[in-house]
């Protein structure tokens, strides 16, 4: 396979700090590139990433095959371990399923994400944000505001009592640790602890489900338990599936939303002209958040497995290979966005694809937009002297664009 000579390592210190120059080289010189370093195809142009979301040769089903292999290797009589149960729970997630399993899970989840239910959360989210922003006197804006907010919102929406909400944050971190795998001995021990935590989460959600069966409420969990009105047989989620769905919502909605708030605030602090524009015109918040998601969104790369031979821009892609859809590069493609490296809070049109596209497009996008809008708007309004206190560092992650900390001063 001929490859243009570019260092395509997305995990160097330089690319971790600022991946956009590398994305620009890839888009220009080798937009459908086999990367030996990442053992995956890198798609970096908007049109190719967009088309990949519709390509049936590219599959999301990547946990079930692991589970099947694990079962084949294991002793048939062995008791399932905590790791088995957690993998099973993750294997049920719609985000790692293809149709028809995906279609069914998505349909059953849709009722919980109806527009009205999300809009009704506006006041509670504003109250939560106000509480966090008012007690903020400078320091790490992530640990004090951007991190606690989304897990608390999900816990509230699912109907968990306020006293239990801190545990949701721990479970979310533990899920991330297990879902993204481990390496090294120190991490192996953390992994074991995380598994114990997730067992607790499993038991917790089961109890909450049993309670909601006895006492239905106006919450998301009760909505998830409802039968599908369109299916004659009244199809509904089993208890295992409900537990798995709760874990997915917590996992998918936490780090992403934390990063959309943190990356957004950082971009504003680095573009004082745009920050002043938003302060002068708070109505700009909706297009501003679309632009912040485009400019430096939470997800760099999504993964797909190739399950049938396919061709992209003349390159033959074969079953068994992996494809990385580089969302963060697509969102800076000059073929799609004028002056893509310029932050323009009033940019229109803005067809950014930070939430993906097609059948897996983010089901929580309306909620994520609302949380980010309220949080960014309140931070800008209530903390007028906000300034960077230290140069932030990015985490060396392939999938996410995630800051270690965001240290700020409130003058
Ligand atoms: C700014 C924050 C967020 C971003 C950037 C984001 C982004 C995404 C993207 C790109 C996908 C598609 C994954 C794929 O195609 O493989 C996705 C799927 C998903 N997201 Fe989000 N998300 C965010 C917040 C949320 C929130 C708040 C929730 C729920 C509480 C959520 C729940 C989900 C779920 C359940 C899926 C899987 C949908 C499916 O497979 O059909 N996300 N998200």
């Amino acid at each position: 396979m001929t490859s243009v000579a570019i260092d395509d390592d997305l995990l160097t210190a330089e690319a971790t700090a600022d991946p956009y120059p590398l994305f620009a080289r890839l888009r220009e010189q080798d937009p459908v590139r086999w990367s030996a370093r990442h053992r995956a195809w890198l798609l970096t142009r908007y049109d190719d990433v967009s088309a990949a979301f519709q390509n049936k040769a590219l599959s999301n089903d990547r946990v079930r095959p692991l589970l099947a292999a694990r079962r084949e290797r294991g002793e048939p009589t062995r008791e399932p371990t905590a790791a088995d149960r957690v993998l099973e729970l993750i294997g049920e997630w719609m985000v790692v399923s293809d149709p028809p399993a995906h279609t069914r899970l998505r349909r059953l989840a849709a009722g919980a994400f109806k527009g009205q239910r999300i809009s009704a959360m506006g006041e509670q989210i504003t109250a939560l944000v106000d509480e966090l922003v008012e007690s903020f006197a400078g320091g790490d804006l992530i640990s004090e505001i951007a991190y606690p907010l989304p897990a608390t919102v999900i816990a509230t929406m699912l109907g968990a009592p306020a006293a239990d909400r801190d545990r949701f944050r721990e479970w979310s971190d533990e899920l991330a640790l297990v879902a993204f795998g481990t390496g090294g001995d120190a991490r192996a021990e953390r992994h074991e602890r995380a598994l114990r935590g997730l067992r607790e989460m499993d038991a917790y959600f089961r109890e909450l489900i049993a309670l909601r069966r006895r006492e239905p409420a106006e919450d998301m969990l009760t909505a998830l338990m409802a039968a599908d009105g369109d299916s004659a047989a009244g199809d509904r989620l089993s208890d295992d599936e409900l537990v798995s769905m709760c874990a997915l919502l917590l996992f998918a909605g936490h780090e992403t939303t934390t990063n959309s708030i943190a990356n957004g605030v950082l971009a504003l602090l680095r573009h004082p002209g745009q920050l002043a524009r938003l302060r002068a015109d708070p109505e700009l918040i909706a297009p501003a958040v679309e632009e912040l998601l485009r400019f430096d969104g939470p997800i760099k790369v999504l993964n797909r497995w190739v399950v049938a031979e396919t061709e992209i821009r003349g390159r033959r892609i074969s079953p068994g290979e992996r494809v990385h859809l580089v969302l963060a590069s697509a969102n800076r493609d000059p073929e799609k966005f004028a002056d893509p490296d310029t932050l323009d809070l009033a940019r229109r049109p803005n067809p950014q694809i930070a939430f993906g596209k097609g059948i897996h497009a983010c089901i929580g996008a309306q909620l994520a937009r609302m949380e980010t809008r309220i949080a960014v708007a309140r931070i800008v309004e209530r903390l007028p002297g906000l300034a960077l206190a230290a140069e932030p560092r990015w985490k060396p992650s392939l999938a996410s664009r995630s800051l270690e900390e965001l240290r700020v001063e409130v003058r």
Side-chain angles (χ1 to χ4, degrees):
M1 213 170 306
T2 53
S3 258
V4 180
I6 311 176
D7 178 4
D8 62 14
D9 188 345
L10 303 182
L11 287 170
T12 60
E14 210 184 337
T16 296
D18 178 8
Y20 297 103
L22 169 57
F23 293 160
R25 286 196 292 280
L26 288 166
R27 274 193 315 267
E28 251 165 58
Q29 299 173 29
D30 205 4
V32 180
R33 175 186 180 82
W34 171 254
S35 166
R37 165 72 182 75
H38 294 288
R39 283 180 285 133
W41 291 92
L42 304 180
L43 304 192
T44 45
R45 286 204 187 164
Y46 186 96
D47 286 349
D48 294 335
V49 171
S50 234
F53 282 115
Q54 323 287 345
N55 187 338
K56 292 201 169 65
L58 305 180
S59 162
N60 271 42
D61 193 349
R62 43 189 197 271
V63 177
R64 264 179 275 250
L66 283 180
L67 267 173
R70 212 179 143 93
R71 283 205 193 100
E72 253 170 48
R73 281 198 313 268
E75 297 278 327
T77 52
R78 176 172 69 89
E79 280 289 304
T81 61
D84 290 333
R85 174 62 198 131
V86 172
L87 267 184
E88 274 165 23
L89 181 126
I90 292 174
E92 293 279 349
W93 285 357
M94 62 178 143
V95 73
V96 289
S97 304
D98 289 338
H102 171 265
T103 323
R104 171 176 172 268
L105 291 170
R106 177 110 186 181
R107 200 173 49 228
L108 286 162
F113 283 92
K114 289 221 173 91
Q116 269 170 317
R117 178 181 308 281
I118 307 298
S119 314
M121 279 302 291
E123 266 178 39
Q124 287 192 63
I125 295 176
T126 306
L128 278 168
V129 168
D130 282 349
E131 206 179 295
L132 295 168
V133 172
E134 250 136 53
S135 60
F136 184 65
D140 180 16
L141 187 134
I142 296 182
S143 58
E144 311 259 330
I145 303 177
Y147 177 78
L149 180 70
T152 311
V153 170
I154 285 287
T156 310
M157 288 191 79
L158 282 172
D164 298 334
R165 288 174 194 160
D166 284 351
R167 296 160 80 190
F168 277 66
R169 291 183 221 158
E170 285 162 30
W171 293 332
S172 160
D173 288 346
E174 286 159 358
L175 276 166
L177 189 68
V178 174
F180 293 134
T182 51
D185 287 344
R187 295 192 72 189
E189 196 233 330
R190 270 176 65 208
H191 191 245
E192 275 309 308
R193 252 189 295 138
L195 287 173
R196 282 200 296 275
L198 293 175
R199 268 220 127 120
E200 237 178 73
M201 177 192 73
D202 190 300
Y204 180 89
F205 284 140
R206 271 174 215 284
E207 256 180 54
L208 200 58
I209 291 164
L211 177 70
R212 282 292 163 267
R213 275 205 207 298
R214 293 194 304 273
E215 297 168 21
E218 274 301 311
D219 57 26
M220 206 177 216
L221 185 57
T222 308
L224 286 170
M225 287 162 67
D228 174 10
D230 294 338
S231 97
D235 186 20
R236 59 176 80 226
L237 294 170
S238 69
D239 281 10
D240 281 354
E241 288 172 331
L242 279 167
V243 172
S244 168
M245 187 68 81
C246 292
L248 169 61
L249 299 183
L250 179 59
F251 172 77
H254 190 200
E255 198 199 331
T256 45
T257 313
T258 296
N259 293 340
S260 79
I261 298 168
N263 300 1
V265 171
L266 175 63
L268 289 171
L269 290 175
R270 287 202 164 139
H271 296 81
Q274 294 296 310
L275 175 56
R277 194 178 178 190
L278 182 57
R279 283 207 168 111
D281 180 9
E283 299 277 301
L284 204 58
I285 191 66
V289 164
E290 297 311 291
E291 177 67 347
L292 294 168
L293 284 165
R294 182 196 73 81
F295 187 76
D296 214 356
I299 299 183
K300 273 194 285 193
V301 168
L302 289 177
N303 244 312
R304 294 292 190 262
W305 285 104
V306 184
V307 289
E309 183 131 330
T310 184
E311 207 179 279
I312 304 179
R313 220 175 264 283
R315 296 296 189 104
R316 179 165 306 171
I317 313 230
S318 304
E321 291 177 339
R322 239 170 5 147
V323 178
H324 288 339
L325 314 184
V326 190
L327 289 188
S329 171
N331 275 334
R332 295 273 192 122
D333 187 340
E335 301 263 314
K336 196 69 188 176
F337 302 96
D339 297 324
D341 298 323
T342 300
L343 181 74
D344 171 6
L345 297 186
R347 183 181 288 275
R348 280 206 178 94
N350 190 347
Q352 57 81 12
I353 46 170
F355 291 113
K357 249 185 132 159
I359 59 169
H360 291 281
C362 182
I363 199 170
Q366 189 192 344
L367 178 62
R369 284 186 160 110
M370 193 158 84
E371 288 183 59
T372 310
R373 284 177 195 163
I374 296 173
V376 172
R378 286 302 227 238
I379 289 168
V380 164
E381 183 195 320
R382 299 280 168 94
L383 306 173
L386 196 68
L388 268 183
E391 196 44 42
R393 278 200 324 269
W394 296 91
K395 290 185 189 164
S397 155
L398 179 69
S400 60
R401 181 84 174 134
S402 181
L403 289 164
E404 302 270 8
E405 300 186 315
L406 183 56
R407 297 229 147 249
V408 293
E409 291 167 359
V410 178
R411 294 192 198 121

